[in-house]
């Protein structure tokens, strides 16, 4: 899992309050690239161009994290934006591929149900998004899905490696979905522990106040 920590500097990570950083700009570009991908696939009907666009968009998920760690540009807004944009990317890319008849609806439905459950649990327990860091399992599962979904698109293009990419798409997506739900259980465990810790702290403050 060292891949997800490349660029990390020695010592404790410093989180800044800055908004205008290079990693945040890359994250924003990732979001803005989604309409281009949708148009290329559904409007212009250029699957190869759509794939490369999606591949570049997906790869920036690793690039912005590396830049943030390597150049000391980790920010609070970036740590919040990055996983949210990842969820939007998976949902949007998945739905576009479903509309194009490339990815089964059940695959995307499984992603959306998981994300809805995590968000609903966060709202129920905390009334918002709690300060729970993304786990390495969560990063790995997202990486598998970001590679698996575009592979379905490559498998529809007329070229020699289409069949191999079809197998790769199924394998990566299956692993991604299993680990995606396993990561959700990790977050649920951490959320409950955080909620209990907060309740214990409030009870201690109340007893001291009395």
């Amino acid at each position: 899992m060292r891949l997800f920590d490349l660029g990390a500097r020695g010592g404790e990570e410093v989180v800044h309050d800055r908004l205008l950083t290079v990693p945040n700009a890359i994250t924003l570009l990732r979001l803005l690239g989604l309409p281009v991908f949708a148009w290329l696939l559904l409007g212009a009907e250029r699957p190869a161009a759509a794939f490369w666009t999606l591949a570049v968009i997906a790869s920036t998920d690793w690039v912005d994290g590396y830049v943030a760690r390597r150049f000391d540009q980790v920010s609070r807004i970036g740590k919040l934006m990055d996983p949210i944009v990842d969820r939007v990317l998976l949902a949007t890319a998945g739905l576009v591929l479903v509309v194009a008849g490339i990815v089964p609806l059940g695959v995307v439905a499984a992603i959306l149900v998981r994300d809805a459950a995590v968000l609903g649990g966060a709202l129920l327990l905390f009334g918002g998004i709690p300060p729970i860091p993304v786990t390495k399992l969560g990063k790995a599962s997202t990486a598998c899905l970001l590679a698996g979904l575009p592979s379905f698109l490559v498998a529809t293009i007329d070229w020699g490696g289409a069949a191999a990419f079809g197998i790769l798409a199924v394998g990566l997506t299956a692993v991604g979905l299993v680990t995606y739900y396993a990561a959700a259980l990790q977050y649920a465990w951490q959320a409950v522990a955080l909620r209990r810790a907060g309740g214990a702290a409030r009870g201690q403050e109340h007893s001291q106040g009395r």
Side-chain angles (χ1 to χ4, degrees):
M1 293 298 181
R2 174 63 179 161
L3 175 65
F4 299 115
D5 295 323
L6 285 179
R9 302 158 72 96
E12 186 177 350
E13 181 179 83
V14 178
V15 181
H16 302 281
D17 291 323
R18 287 177 291 176
L19 174 62
L20 300 178
T21 66
V22 173
N24 290 347
I26 295 174
T27 300
L28 181 60
L29 287 175
R30 182 156 83 248
L31 190 61
L32 295 177
L34 286 173
V36 178
F37 159 70
W39 176 78
L40 285 171
L41 185 59
L42 301 178
E45 297 183 354
R46 296 173 57 189
F51 163 73
W52 286 113
T53 300
L54 185 56
V56 170
I57 293 172
S59 68
T60 61
D61 180 45
W62 179 85
V63 173
D64 59 8
Y66 173 82
V67 172
R69 292 186 296 270
R70 178 66 179 83
F71 299 101
D72 189 26
Q73 294 192 16
V74 177
S75 65
R76 299 185 193 283
I77 187 65
K79 291 176 75 71
L80 176 65
M81 282 175 53
D82 192 62
I84 293 176
V85 172
D86 285 346
R87 305 288 78 76
V88 173
L89 170 57
L90 281 174
T92 304
L95 289 173
V96 169
L97 291 170
V98 167
V99 172
I102 295 173
V103 172
L105 177 59
V107 171
V108 180
I111 294 174
L112 295 177
V113 167
R114 183 272 196 190
D115 287 343
V118 170
L119 178 60
L123 294 175
L124 180 64
L125 290 175
F126 302 96
I129 300 177
I132 297 175
V134 178
T135 65
K136 290 184 178 181
L137 182 61
K139 292 178 181 179
S141 64
T142 299
C144 284
L145 291 173
L146 287 177
L149 292 181
S151 295
F152 279 104
L153 176 56
V154 180
T156 66
I157 301 173
D158 186 15
W159 70 297
F165 264 87
I167 297 172
L168 181 66
V170 173
L172 284 174
T173 303
V175 171
L177 285 175
V178 171
T179 53
Y180 205 48
Y181 274 83
L185 293 177
Q186 280 188 331
Y187 295 137
W189 181 266
Q190 293 180 39
V192 170
L194 183 62
R195 179 64 183 268
R196 287 176 177 172
R202 287 192 298 271
Q204 185 176 6
E205 290 176 358
H206 179 70
S207 63
Q208 291 175 349
R210 293 181 61 184

